[in-house]
Amino acid sequence: MITVTASGITPADLIAVARGNARVTLAQDALDAMRASRSIVDAIERDGRPVYGVSTGFGALANTFIAPERRAELQHALIRSHAAGIGAPMPREVVRAMMLLRIRSLAMGRSGVRPEIAAGLADLLNADITPWVPQHGSLGASGDLAPLAHCALVLIGEGWVLAKDGTRISAVDAGVSPIALSSKEGLALINGTDGMLGMLLLAIADAAHLFTMADVTAALSIEAMLGSDRPFMPELHTIRPHPGQAASAANLHRLLQDSPIMDSHRDDLEHAVQDAYSMRCAPQVAGAARDTLDFAATVAARELLSIVDNPVVLTDGRVESTGNFHGAPLGFAADYLAIAAAEVGAIAERRVDRMLDVCRSRDLPPFLTPDAGVNSGLMIAQYTAAGIVAENRRLASPASVDSLPTSGMQEDHVSMGWAATRKLRTVLDNLCSILAVELLSAVRGLQLRAPLTPSVAGRIAMAAVEEHAGQPGPDVFLAPVLEAVRSTVSGRDLLTAIEREVGTLA
């Protein structure tokens, strides 16, 4: 059970709800904060004061006065008109994350809504009712207006729900009990960065795992290519004190110890004095990505403490318009992390290409097949990785610099944070596939070094991959093998097994 308090939630709470189906409840301090905030809005209603979003229209219609008897109608009309997305549905985990984050923001007591509104969203989560949120519609302007409106529409008993089989059904057919909105509540349900923050937090969790797995696959590739572990000695990284670089180098050095394969060429004077950049500079690239991840996590942590509604209801009774809903901090962080993740994949693909090239692989057979010619081995698997690297380079182009004015020039600079976080998730999904190709290639290389045996990590990885790929031999239908190895990369079992033997990796 995740309890949402007036001070918010943690990234772990979000993962538990979005991916682990944890139930949600509201703490007493959150209920009290919302009631106090609502009492201020009720007082404004009684006094007849003009306040944006309470007694006026929205966006370019901010100067249009709304009569008291039509203000509830205004809130429902706002939700219907803003639920204007189009395209395939967003993944269930993203929508659940977005809903939890909207509960979190309302629970902080600066939005002027009744506790019933936040409780209604929690009820949807607990009943496993996921609104159908189209992928297109948000500019990250006043936050994620259209995606949040699609969620709010289900709360009022309208709109679409994502059925268990992936189809679309109506909120009525899903059994939703509608909630009637009062003044300010419709606006409070849709003004926020919850979609882009939810995707960024999910991406941060995925990137943390994949960056560690990138060190694992790099170490196995270096071992398979008879590389050196000397560039990863700690004293070589204290003289360039980037924390991510030191962490990645420590991982690589630890993973390459106790390896008969590595020991076989330590005293070979004809062995290469320096490994190629894709081997020797692995911690410099992966480490820079880790530091970028730390930056993104810092931004996301700040946003988790933020109130991003507009207008906000201050505890002294004022209701003030803000720009806190603008998604620039999240868009910048997502674009930066996408660049870093793309480079982690790019250097991994270079190691794959090197392992497959008989001129550079240090006596491994062409394309890692013992019978090259009749068999092509992993030739086309490298093509696949190269194609994905090319796509990631296109996706690494920042979305956050591509503002377009909207709402009659009232919203004349938007963040594109929704687009930035969406494509970040695609980059990370692609990175997982690239690392799967590297893991398969590295294991093939280690197998082909027999009778020499690899490191502890290498032996564990070989056992895991051999379940799906078997031993080197005649060509097989490779796509199912790659899919299985991809699941090995994305899952936690292989990393857990390696850490059980070599210690926790950064």
Side-chain angles (χ1 to χ4, degrees), residues 265-347:
H265 58 85
R266 290 190 189 278
D267 300 322
D268 185 352
L269 297 180
E270 295 184 0
H271 198 73
V273 176
Q274 289 191 135
D275 290 328
Y277 282 12
S278 61
M279 302 161 68
R280 181 167 29 118
C281 299
Q284 283 76 13
V285 174
R290 286 170 173 270
D291 292 340
T292 304
L293 177 60
D294 286 345
F295 165 72
T298 298
V299 171
R302 290 173 184 153
E303 193 74 358
L304 268 180
L305 299 174
S306 302
I307 295 164
V308 290
D309 199 356
N310 181 54
V312 292
V313 181
L314 301 178
T315 54
D316 61 8
R318 287 179 293 149
V319 179
E320 299 287 357
S321 181
T322 82
N324 285 346
F325 49 73
H326 199 284
L330 305 177
F332 294 166
D335 280 336
Y336 191 13
L337 186 52
I339 291 169
E343 280 300 283
V344 172
I347 196 170

Side-chain angles (χ1 to χ4, degrees), residues 69-415:
E69 65 273 12
R70 302 199 68 187
R71 289 174 188 171
E73 177 188 349
L74 167 70
Q75 301 301 315
H76 289 80
L78 171 73
I79 298 301
R80 294 179 186 120
S81 67
H82 283 51
I86 196 168
M90 293 298 293
R92 175 179 176 272
E93 67 177 17
V94 171
V95 179
R96 287 180 62 83
M98 184 164 47
M99 293 166 70
L100 178 66
L101 290 170
R102 186 72 327 214
I103 295 169
R104 171 210 67 92
S105 187
L106 299 178
M108 288 180 162
R110 297 292 187 275
S111 295
V113 304
R114 295 166 293 154
E116 291 84 349
I117 301 302
L121 288 172
D123 288 342
L124 292 178
L125 285 171
N126 292 338
D128 197 15
I129 295 174
T130 305
W132 175 287
V133 177
Q135 64 182 234
H136 299 296
S138 175
L139 299 175
S142 289
D144 297 312
L145 289 172
L148 285 167
H150 279 274
C151 293
L153 199 61
V154 173
L155 186 66
I156 64 174
E158 303 176 23
W160 300 323
V161 168
L162 185 65
K164 300 298 184 292
D165 62 359
T167 59
R168 188 171 68 193
I169 61 176
S170 71
V172 173
D173 290 340
V176 175
S177 299
I179 291 178
L181 303 178
S182 186
S183 58
K184 177 65 171 69
E185 291 178 336
L187 186 59
L189 281 166
I190 67 173
N191 237 310
T193 58
D194 306 302
M196 55 188 114
L197 176 58
M199 285 190 279
L200 181 59
L201 286 165
L202 292 168
I204 287 168
D206 293 339
H209 172 70
L210 290 174
F211 289 175
T212 302
M213 285 301 300
D215 287 342
V216 171
T217 60
L220 300 178
S221 295
I222 291 165
E223 187 175 12
M225 288 187 285
L226 306 182
S228 174
D229 60 359
R230 295 182 63 81
F232 313 130
M233 295 186 297
E235 57 267 34
L236 301 181
H237 299 277
T238 57
I239 60 176
R240 193 189 193 197
H242 292 286
Q245 176 180 322
S248 182
N251 284 349
L252 290 165
H253 194 263
R254 177 181 295 179
L255 289 162
L256 288 170
Q257 300 312 299
D258 301 319
S259 167
I261 290 178
M262 299 294 291
D263 293 340
S264 70
H265 58 85
R266 290 190 189 278
D267 300 322
D268 185 352
L269 297 180
E270 295 184 0
H271 198 73
V273 176
Q274 289 191 135
D275 290 328
Y277 282 12
S278 61
M279 302 161 68
R280 181 167 29 118
C281 299
Q284 283 76 13
V285 174
R290 286 170 173 270
D291 292 340
T292 304
L293 177 60
D294 286 345
F295 165 72
T298 298
V299 171
R302 290 173 184 153
E303 193 74 358
L304 268 180
L305 299 174
S306 302
I307 295 164
V308 290
D309 199 356
N310 181 54
V312 292
V313 181
L314 301 178
T315 54
D316 61 8
R318 287 179 293 149
V319 179
E320 299 287 357
S321 181
T322 82
N324 285 346
F325 49 73
H326 199 284
L330 305 177
F332 294 166
D335 280 336
Y336 191 13
L337 186 52
I339 291 169
E343 280 300 283
V344 172
I347 196 170
E349 183 276 331
R350 288 294 78 206
R351 290 189 293 266
V352 170
D353 181 59
R354 180 167 290 272
M355 275 188 285
L356 270 60
D357 183 353
V358 68
C359 298
R360 295 178 290 150
S361 65
R362 293 173 178 159
D363 300 323
L364 288 172
F367 304 107
L368 300 177
T369 176
D371 186 20
V374 172
N375 294 286
S376 298
L378 300 184
M379 178 193 295
I380 306 305
Q382 185 266 329
Y383 285 33
T384 298
I388 297 171
V389 167
E391 180 179 60
N392 272 359
R393 286 174 179 161
R394 294 190 293 272
L395 291 169
S397 178
S400 53
V401 299
D402 193 20
S403 175
L404 288 168
T406 56
S407 194
M409 292 298 289
Q410 177 74 2
E411 298 170 4
D412 56 355
H413 185 276
V414 298
S415 75

